[in-house]
């Protein structure tokens, strides 16, 4: 029987102290896409939030982001040239100070990189089709341009290694570029990168090939490599892919490459598709080739739900709970689970060092209706106890 306090050893030898990970979550703290003091403070406070922390999705290419950004000092982070490395070195130093693992999630945001257009750049997609909700122009990749993005994931991996990360996670979920290539709705290409299901898998497979090649040449042997996937893309009549197809992709990824884990992105870890009695973790887990491990995120807000989720997966991925309590992993490990903060209040917010941009996002977006959100709404980005502004001043 799996327990939260179990040590977990990945296939290449890296070990974490509990069956917990902090999910990658946008902090909206980048300035010119670079790490700021706000970013550093946030991650410094989370060195014991879980057995490993997956740092927010980070752009591998100049047009790979920013996504979900709305102001120059509220941007998604990037790592598409060497100038970004010093900032990430500060993050890994803080995150690893208590012995936990630091993972960097790598992404190209594809059509979701709307703030790149606001900054004067182009937004890149597999196929320039009509997306009714998108009001900005899109650039369809040439075949050579796709190969360049594949290489960008490799060079980003090399920079993550140079920055001191213990691993990287390829972001293949949440409608970003990997998912767009895999989706029959978003990808209507007829070249190497699209057409049949097998060709729609090529982008994910070629990125994995490049990442593993770079890691083998540059990383320690116990370097962790994961892949995040949304189990389905079904929006009423628009079907990008089903869980049956996701199973095939997971099979190919873990059959052909030595992934340490597969990370399922859901809103509810117990969710089941309409044509099965099994949940997504059970269904996709059937195709994860051991010794790769399975992780899931989605509504795992309490210790009871963490324990329940371990029926289906090896590691639970905690998102919003680590925004409220930045020491969940420490408290679980040390028998203090009863002391985990379950809602925002003065004490939890002071301890958690949320960034001003993150507080703006949480307080002003109905989607984030979290316990204690009304308290968070009383704060501004300059009245945060011990939080600091971008220049490091109180």
């Amino acid at each position: 029987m799996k327990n939260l306090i179990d040590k977990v050893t990945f296939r290449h030898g890296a070990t974490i102290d509990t069956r917990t990970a902090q999910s990658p979550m946008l902090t909206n703290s980048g300035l010119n896409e670079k790490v700021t003091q706000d970013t550093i403070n946030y991650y410094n406070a989370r060195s014991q939030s879980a057995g490993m922390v997956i740092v927010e999705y980070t752009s591998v290419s100049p047009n790979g982001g920013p996504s979900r950004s709305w102001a120059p000092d509220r941007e998604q982070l990037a790592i598409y040239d060497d100038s970004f490395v010093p900032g990430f070195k500060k993050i890994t130093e803080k995150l690893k100070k208590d012995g936990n693992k630091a993972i960097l999630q790598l992404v190209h945001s594809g059509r979701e990189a709307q703030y790149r257009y606001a900054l004067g750049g182009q937004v890149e997609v597999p196929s320039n089709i009509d997306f009714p909700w998108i009001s900005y122009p899109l650039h369809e990749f040439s075949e050579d341009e796709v190969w360049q993005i594949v290489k960008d994931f490799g060079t980003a991996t090399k920079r993550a290694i140079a920055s001191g990360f213990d691993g990287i996670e390829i972001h293949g979920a949440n409608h970003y570029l990997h998912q767009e290539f895999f989706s029959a709705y978003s990808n209507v290409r007829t070249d190497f990168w699209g057409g049949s299901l097998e060709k729609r898998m090529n982008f994910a497979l070629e990125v994995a090939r490049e990442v593993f090649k770079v890691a083998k040449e540059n990383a320690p042997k116990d370097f962790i490599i994961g892949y995040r996937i949304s189990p389905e893309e079904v929006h009423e009549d628009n079907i990008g892919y089903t869980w049956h197809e996701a199973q095939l992709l997971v099979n190919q990824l873990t059959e052909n490459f030595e992934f340490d884990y597969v990370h399922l992105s859901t809103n509810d870890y117990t969710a089941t598709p309409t044509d099965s009695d099994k949940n997504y973790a059970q269904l996709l887990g059937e195709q994860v080739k051991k010794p790769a491990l399975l992780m899931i995120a989605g509504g795992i807000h309490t210790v009871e739900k963490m324990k329940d989720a371990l029926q289906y997966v090896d590691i639970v991925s905690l998102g919003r709970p680590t925004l409220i309590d930045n020491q969940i992993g420490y408290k679980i490990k040390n028998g203090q689970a009863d002391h985990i903060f379950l809602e925002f209040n003065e004490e939890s917010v002071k301890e958690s060092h949320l960034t001003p941009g993150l507080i703006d996002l949480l307080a002003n977006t109905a989607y984030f209706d979290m316990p204690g959100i009304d308290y968070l709404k009383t704060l501004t980005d300059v009245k945060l106890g011990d939080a600091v502004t971008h220049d490091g001043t109180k």
Side-chain angles (χ1 to χ4, degrees):
M1 180 177 177
K2 290 171 287 191
N3 294 300
L4 284 170
I5 59 173
D6 292 341
K7 289 183 181 294
V8 178
T9 300
F10 294 99
R11 70 189 304 162
H12 297 109
T15 299
I16 58 176
D17 284 343
T18 62
R19 291 187 181 274
T20 61
Q22 177 178 310
S23 292
M25 293 174 290
L26 180 66
T27 60
N28 277 116
S29 63
L31 181 60
N32 299 320
E33 301 175 275
K34 286 185 166 65
V35 169
T36 65
Q37 190 63 44
D38 290 329
T39 321
I40 294 166
N41 292 345
Y42 171 88
Y43 285 110
N44 180 51
R46 281 163 180 76
S47 62
Q48 299 182 94
S49 65
M52 67 182 196
V53 174
I54 308 172
V55 171
E56 61 198 88
Y57 68 142
T58 297
S59 303
V60 302
S61 306
N63 291 321
S67 168
R68 318 293 180 195
S69 302
W70 69 89
D73 62 348
R74 297 287 191 270
E75 290 175 356
Q76 175 189 1
L77 303 178
I79 195 168
Y80 53 76
D81 65 46
D82 291 344
S83 69
F84 296 98
V85 171
F88 281 110
K89 282 184 175 180
K90 294 177 182 178
I91 287 180
T92 59
E93 176 187 346
K94 300 299 185 183
L95 275 180
K96 295 167 65 172
K97 68 181 186 292
D98 296 305
N100 290 357
K101 300 298 183 185
I103 312 297
L104 182 63
Q105 189 184 66
L106 301 178
V107 72
H108 187 299
S109 294
R111 68 173 184 247
E112 301 299 320
Q114 83 289 347
Y115 200 60
R116 177 54 59 195
Y117 174 69
L119 295 173
Q122 66 182 13
V123 179
E124 300 169 335
V125 291
S127 300
N128 188 2
I129 63 176
D130 178 31
F131 298 101
W133 63 91
I134 290 180
S135 59
Y136 41 86
L138 303 173
H139 170 76
E140 181 176 313
F141 287 115
S142 69
E143 186 165 358
D144 286 344
E145 286 173 332
V146 182
W147 281 113
Q148 181 57 54
I149 302 303
V150 170
K151 293 183 182 299
D152 289 346
F153 273 91
T155 52
T157 299
K158 188 173 182 179
R159 292 186 185 106
I161 295 165
S163 299
F165 283 98
D166 300 296
I168 64 96
E169 179 177 284
I170 300 169
H171 197 349
N174 302 107
H175 298 285
Y176 298 121
L177 189 63
H178 267 77
Q179 182 167 332
E180 291 168 25
F181 267 104
F182 188 48
S183 167
Y185 172 67
S186 303
N187 181 358
V188 296
R189 302 174 71 99
T190 57
D191 59 5
F192 179 75
W193 304 109
S196 65
L197 171 62
E198 289 72 19
K199 287 186 175 182
R200 287 189 281 113
M201 290 193 283
N202 280 339
F203 183 72
L205 294 171
E206 292 303 326
V207 168
R209 196 181 320 280
E210 183 72 13
V211 164
F212 275 92
K213 174 178 176 289
V214 169
K216 183 177 181 179
E217 294 171 351
N218 298 278
K221 290 184 178 180
D222 63 353
F223 193 72
I224 299 166
I225 301 179
Y227 190 95
R228 194 175 205 204
I229 184 171
S230 295
E232 274 194 330
E233 185 189 304
V234 178
H235 301 291
E236 298 179 348
D237 294 333
N238 289 332
I239 300 176
Y241 60 90
T242 66
W243 64 266
H244 303 274
E245 294 169 312
Q247 277 188 323
L248 295 174
L249 179 57
V250 167
N251 177 284
Q252 288 297 299
L253 288 168
T254 58
E255 179 75 33
N256 291 290
F257 305 99
E258 293 185 350
F259 276 98
D260 290 274
Y261 68 86
V262 173
H263 188 178
L264 304 186
S265 178
T266 73
N267 289 323
D268 179 358
Y269 75 96
T270 66
T272 61
T274 56
D275 59 347
S276 176
D277 293 330
K278 295 181 179 179
N279 62 40
Y280 289 114
Q282 293 170 304
L283 294 168
L284 270 68
E286 292 172 357
Q287 297 299 318
V288 175
K289 301 300 182 183
K290 298 298 183 183
L293 303 179
L294 184 63
M295 183 190 313
I296 195 167
I300 307 174
H301 298 150
T302 65
V303 171
E304 290 72 23
K305 289 186 176 182
M306 295 177 209
K307 292 177 178 178
D308 184 58
L310 289 180
Q311 295 181 72
Y312 314 114
V313 299
D314 302 294
I315 300 170
V316 292
S317 182
L318 311 175
R320 299 182 192 186
T322 65
L323 298 179
I324 296 172
D325 192 322
N326 59 311
Q327 288 199 310
I328 290 177
Y330 174 85
K331 290 176 180 178
I332 288 172
K333 180 181 175 181
N334 290 280
Q336 300 176 25
D338 291 343
H339 299 286
I340 292 173
F341 293 121
L342 298 177
E343 64 178 37
F344 290 119
N345 55 47
E346 184 176 0
E347 185 178 2
S348 68
V349 170
K350 182 177 181 180
E351 294 292 330
S352 67
H353 286 266
L354 300 176
T355 69
L358 186 51
I359 288 180
D360 285 350
L361 181 68
L362 295 174
N364 295 297
T365 307
Y367 177 76
F368 299 105
D369 186 16
M370 299 164 64
I373 197 72
D374 287 340
Y375 173 77
L376 205 64
K377 289 177 180 179
T378 67
L379 305 177
T380 69
D381 61 356
V382 294
K383 296 179 181 178
L384 298 176
D386 293 333
V388 297
T389 58
H390 288 299
D391 63 2
T393 59
K394 293 279 185 156

